[in-house]
Amino acid sequence: MPTPLQDYLFDLRGFLLLERAVSPEEVQKINRAIDAIPPLKPGQWFGNVHYQEQPPEVGVNYQNILEGGAAFEELIDHPAWIDLMNRYVGGDDGLFIDEAFVNLRGPGQAIQLHSGGHKRRIRTQFRFHNSQFRCGQVNVLLALTDIGPGDGATMVIPGSHKSNLPHPKFVEAYAGKQDKSVDQVDGAIEVHLKAGDAILFVDCIAHGSAERANPGERRILVCRYGPQWGNTRFGYVPSKDLVRRLTPPRQAIVQPIPPLAP
């Protein structure tokens, strides 16, 4: 179970830093599995892993990554965060991973500021009522490489999951003037991670990334957890082979409501 301090910081800031969440051996396994994916073009598949079509400045996304093998399946109910997910999504609502992907990002690439509590979206909402958290989507972002200054770190605006007003940068974005990164956003901080560290955050916190300035590649893996009644973000359906391989607790997260047909 989360500690009282973790509950306090998650409520206050909207995120937690999980140091050494995953062991060096697990990080190596995940990176080897990513390296085994052959060169793909946007829209192409490697088995059931999909190279998502998206603007090139945000990097490469390998979506549906839980289909990529045991190294990814082991993250579904990883002990470093599964109790936190049950607490912050709401334990009696069950859990469901509605999106899981690997992102690879090189020099000059970034993702802009997005989300924010002012939108009050049900899917990404932050709620606390009767001593229980009821968050619509809680993300774990796992660093697969060291991410320090100049590496294109994830950036968040602490406390923005409760904001009533949009950040002025969002107002600029609505006018078609959005920056491609979060580097110049007042109130945003970089979250530096060592490989194996993770940041856990409610999705309605305003977030994005710094632009990568250093050579090399930033690698992260993201799993988004919500209540079991949710739906997949992009329509990916778990394969029968994946569901068959999973332990019952993992099946209950990947496919909490099995298809029903005559």
Side-chain angles (χ1 to χ4, degrees), residues 23-201:
S23 71
E25 293 75 22
E26 289 174 296
V27 171
Q28 289 178 0
K29 284 175 60 177
I30 295 167
N31 277 318
R32 283 197 297 267
I34 295 170
D35 291 337
I37 299 173
L40 300 174
K41 295 180 180 179
Q44 289 186 325
W45 295 79
F46 175 62
N48 292 307
V49 174
H50 186 225
Y51 185 153
Q52 184 182 19
E53 297 187 63
Q54 60 178 359
E57 60 266 22
V58 302
V60 172
N61 273 10
Y62 291 132
Q63 284 279 3
N64 210 29
I65 198 63
L66 298 181
E67 298 275 3
F72 304 106
E73 296 169 19
E74 292 167 3
L75 302 177
I76 294 169
D77 57 352
H78 198 281
W81 55 75
I82 193 63
D83 287 344
L84 297 170
M85 291 300 179
N86 275 308
R87 168 69 167 152
Y88 299 138
V89 172
D92 58 356
D93 278 335
L95 288 177
F96 174 58
I97 294 178
D98 71 71
E99 183 181 10
F101 64 95
V102 162
N103 174 262
L104 314 178
R105 193 170 291 155
Q109 295 180 322
I111 191 166
Q112 73 276 11
L113 184 70
H114 56 284
S115 203
H118 64 284
K119 295 184 177 180
R120 296 294 189 269
R121 285 179 174 159
I122 293 174
R123 186 184 184 98
T124 63
Q125 70 181 336
F126 175 90
R127 290 185 64 194
F128 184 82
H129 182 67
N130 285 344
S131 299
Q132 292 184 319
F133 291 90
R134 298 288 182 185
C135 298
Q137 188 173 85
V138 181
N139 307 324
V140 61
L141 184 154
L142 174 65
L144 301 174
T145 54
D146 291 347
I147 304 173
D151 289 332
T154 294
M155 298 187 69
V156 298
I157 302 179
S160 58
H161 61 303
K162 296 182 178 180
S163 62
N164 294 306
L165 302 174
H167 192 287
K169 284 291 183 182
F170 283 120
V171 178
E172 293 179 14
Y174 301 148
K177 301 177 182 178
Q178 184 160 12
D179 298 329
K180 78 171 189 177
S181 74
V182 191
D183 294 282
Q184 305 304 317
V185 174
D186 291 333
I189 62 170
E190 290 194 19
V191 183
H192 296 155
L193 304 168
K194 295 290 187 182
D197 292 348
I199 175 175
L200 182 149
F201 59 99

Side-chain angles (χ1 to χ4, degrees), residues 186-236:
D186 291 333
I189 62 170
E190 290 194 19
V191 183
H192 296 155
L193 304 168
K194 295 290 187 182
D197 292 348
I199 175 175
L200 182 149
F201 59 99
V202 63
D203 195 73
C204 63
I205 193 172
H207 62 283
S209 83
E211 181 178 346
R212 186 175 179 94
N214 295 336
E217 183 178 70
R218 166 191 184 264
R219 286 189 176 191
I220 62 166
L221 184 147
V222 176
C223 286
R224 303 186 192 275
Y225 294 75
Q228 67 176 6
W229 46 259
N231 200 1
T232 60
R233 183 179 182 190
F234 294 114
Y236 300 109

